[in-house]
Structure formats: C-alpha cells, structure tokens
Amino acid sequence: MGAIPSGETFSFYRANLERRYGETEPESYIRKWEEVTLDRQLHWGFTSFGNWVDPAFYPNQKVPYFANGWIIGDFKVLESRYDIWAPMPDVFDPEFVRRADVTIARIAEEIQGSPWCVGIFVDNEKSWGRREGTVEQRYGIILDGLARDAAESPAKAAFTRYLQEKYADIAAVNAGWGTEIDSWESLAAGVEFNAHPEALLADLSTMLEMLSNEYFKVVHDTVEKYLPNHLYMGARMASWGMPDETIKASVKYSDVLSFNIYKEGLHPETWAFLKEIDLPAVIGEWHIGSISDTGLWHPGLVHAADQADRANMWTDYMESVLAHPNFVGAHWFQYVDSPQSG
C-alpha cells in the first residue's frame, strides 16, 4: 500500500545515510549505520532486536535478537471473506511441509547457531479467524475447506477422514448437521450450509483445532530439526486472529506465545486466559504514534495527542504488560519510520 501500486520507490532514508556518513567503499555508510544502530540500542536500554530485524545484524555480538521467516510458496490455501493479509495455507498440503523446511533451513543458515539469537518467529498474523463473532468470522476457513473437493484439497480430505471416523454413516452426519447430503462421496465433493446447528459448530471447532495443530506441529518439528537450541516463538497472532482452538494448538508446540497487540494497553480481562497457561508470552508488535513535531503524515494505529502524551501512553502500556504474570517482553514497531511513499 502506498503512493504507487507496484514498482520501486526512492529511499530517502538510505540516501540521507549516504549524505551523513559518506561512502569510502561500497555501502560503507550502511555498515556505519549498523554500528550506530547497535550502539543506540544499548544506550537507549533496549534488550533485543525483535521480528523483522535485518539479517545483517545476525552476526552482531552486542545485542540479542530474534530471527524470523515467512513460509511462502505455491501450496494450496483456505480462504474466507475475512482474511486480512493473505489466505490461510492448507497445512495438510505436502508442498506446505516442503516450503516450511526450505524456509526454516534458510533461517538456520543465516543464524549459524549464534547464541545471540534468542528464538525464531515463523510467519505473522495468519488468518485463522476471530475469537468471537459470526460463524463465518470464526470458522470461515473451515467452511471454505468443506466446500472444496477432497480430490483437490488436502485439508478437505483430512476433514472428510475425521468425519468418517466420527460418524457411523452419512445419515448420522445429516441428523447432527440438519443437512441432506446423499453420500460420503457427495460430502467429499463439497458441501455448503444454510444453517449452523450446535453439532455442526462442534465439528467446525474440532476441524479448526486440527488445522491449527497441524500447522504448529509442522513448524515446531522443522524448527527442532534445524535449530534445536533455539526457542520457537510462535506465529505472532494478531488480536483479530487468535481463536481459542488456535491458541490451544499453539500452546502444545510453542516455547513462547506471541501476540501483536495494537491497543493502549493490555486489558486484564481480555488476557486473563493466559494465566491458566504455563508458558511465557511476548508482544511481537505495538506502538504509540503522533504526528506532533515529527513531520510524519500519519501517527499509526494508536494515536497520542503530542510527544508528551505519547511518552505517558508508552509508560501506561508497558506497565500493563509488566502487571501480567505471563508477559516477559514487548517489541516496539518499529525503529525506522515507514517511507512517505508507502
């Protein structure tokens, strides 16, 4: 998103670094910027680099960091009308498993076993569904999976096997779901729903947990394969995409739970459920912004009136984090302002 729909933009930030530090050899000003950035993190009291840190900082031995990777590829997907960044990968697709291996092997290659790497975030703000809302909002990706042909969708094939194991015959499915599906073959070919009785909702919930469980198992096992001495930090779930079924699966396979929380602070009731979970949690992204005295045209997602108010809001947010027994840290987003061009 930005001023142009595609293509390259000019980096004024990079150009100004060159003007400030000069260039005695190719990109020497970038190396100087890296040195200054490391010193600033220590001087300002930051304790680690968070997700999205440039891999150029991975070899540093001054500031601990968290590595990251994103599993992309031509695997099949599940999608709903409420996806935010991208459709959900079909994690039962062998191509997803292969791409997870490729991604995490590359992260391991970049880290080189460094003890300065605390842990690894894989992926970011996946479109699992809402914790609350309509059935479509909560289980949209599962409804999409059920509408697909099992011959073309590994997730649908897995859901079909689950249903065949649970129900004695298709008549039992129809009795619970209030449907008129004439055979297992018809169900496998794709079904859609006009109503959502309790038995169907229970199955949708189970299938979302199946999908979530498979995702975290694949990622966890691959991290364990390539990076057995580093923490798996989870998938940085957004507050709009963290259904209970997905959190339950994440707890089974993550060393640390991670959430991106763009609010004015942690609401005690909203995050009380974590107190029942024996795992640490981190905030992968948060910020407080203001256009006052900055020259920026937009303050970001959480707005302060001016810089003094921004400092007070920063303090309030961090105090709410410190007050929660599970949260062990919060990563600010971000060190460099977004460019004016998007």
Side-chain angles (χ1 to χ4, degrees):
M1 292 179 286
I4 59 174
S6 63
E8 296 183 349
T9 61
F10 184 79
S11 176
F12 292 96
Y13 187 87
R14 188 183 183 97
N16 285 332
L17 291 176
E18 184 176 2
R19 293 185 180 103
R20 178 169 185 172
Y21 298 126
E23 186 173 45
T24 56
E25 57 185 60
E27 296 198 333
S28 62
Y29 60 95
I30 296 297
R31 305 289 82 80
K32 181 63 177 178
W33 172 81
E34 292 165 1
E35 177 187 329
V36 169
T37 299
L38 286 168
D39 289 343
R40 280 180 175 172
Q41 301 308 301
L42 294 170
H43 182 69
W44 292 348
F46 287 98
T47 53
S48 67
F49 284 120
N51 199 72
W52 312 126
V53 62
D54 192 317
F57 288 102
Y58 287 3
N60 104 85
Q61 296 188 12
K62 290 184 176 181
V63 180
Y65 67 90
F66 291 80
N68 68 85
W70 202 314
I71 303 171
I72 59 174
D74 292 329
F75 40 76
K76 297 182 184 298
V77 299
L78 301 174
E79 47 193 326
S80 77
R81 292 180 296 166
Y82 300 97
D83 299 340
I84 300 297
W85 301 119
M88 187 67 201
D90 182 336
V91 299
F92 293 98
D93 186 348
E95 179 62 11
F96 174 80
V97 179
R98 188 186 76 82
R99 289 300 306 172
D101 191 276
V102 169
T103 299
I104 294 166
R106 176 59 184 273
I107 299 172
E109 182 181 324
E110 293 174 333
I111 292 171
Q112 293 291 305
S114 171
W116 289 82
C117 177
V118 183
I120 294 87
F121 293 104
V122 179
D123 287 335
N124 178 69
E125 298 188 351
K126 308 300 286 182
S127 297
W128 296 105
R130 306 292 197 268
R131 284 192 89 191
E132 300 176 346
T134 66
V135 174
E136 284 274 353
Q137 289 172 322
R138 292 163 58 199
Y139 301 119
I141 56 174
I142 305 303
L143 293 170
D144 176 62
L146 290 172
R148 293 175 184 262
D149 189 332
E152 301 294 330
S153 169
K156 175 58 179 299
F159 297 158
T160 302
R161 289 192 297 271
Y162 153 72
L163 294 168
Q164 288 176 321
E165 291 170 3
K166 177 178 178 179
Y167 293 97
D169 51 40
I170 200 68
V173 176
N174 288 325
W177 289 5
T179 50
E180 297 180 355
I181 306 167
D182 58 25
S183 65
W184 287 116
E185 290 74 19
S186 295
L187 187 149
V191 292
E192 298 183 8
F193 305 95
N194 296 319
H196 306 102
E198 287 301 317
L200 174 59
L201 291 177
D203 285 328
L204 294 177
S205 177
T206 298
M207 287 183 274
L208 178 57
E209 187 173 339
M210 284 174 55
L211 187 77
S212 303
N213 195 76
E214 186 69 12
Y215 170 85
F216 285 105
K217 183 179 187 302
V218 167
V219 177
H220 167 273
D221 290 355
T222 311
V223 170
E224 188 70 17
K225 173 183 174 182
Y226 289 106
L227 294 158
N229 298 317
H230 291 82
L231 298 174
Y232 171 39
M233 304 294 296
R236 291 158 35 91
M237 287 182 273
S239 53
W240 46 257
M242 41 175 267
D244 292 338
E245 296 88 346
T246 302
I247 292 173
K248 183 178 179 181
S250 176
V251 168
K252 292 169 62 176
Y253 292 104
S254 303
D255 296 310
V256 181
L257 303 180
S258 52
F259 305 92
N260 296 346
I261 307 174
Y262 286 101
K263 302 289 184 181
E264 294 185 2
L266 296 187
H267 194 285
E269 291 183 9
T270 302
W271 297 96
F273 72 93
L274 286 178
K275 296 179 182 180
E276 306 302 318
I277 298 172
D278 186 24
L279 278 180
V282 299
I283 295 171
E285 292 179 19
W286 71 285
H287 71 216
I288 308 293
S290 174
I291 59 175
S292 172
D293 303 326
T294 64
L296 300 176
W297 294 344
H298 197 283
L301 298 177
V302 183
H303 304 179
D306 52 35
Q307 297 307 306
D309 185 41
R310 191 178 184 218
N312 291 332
M313 291 177 68
W314 186 96
T315 301
D316 290 344
Y317 189 102
M318 286 305 300
E319 286 181 347
S320 75
V321 174
L322 292 168
H324 196 293
N326 290 70
F327 279 96
V328 297
H331 281 141
W332 177 267
F333 186 85
Q334 61 181 345
Y335 173 57
V336 177
D337 291 326
S338 296
Q340 301 286 28
S341 52

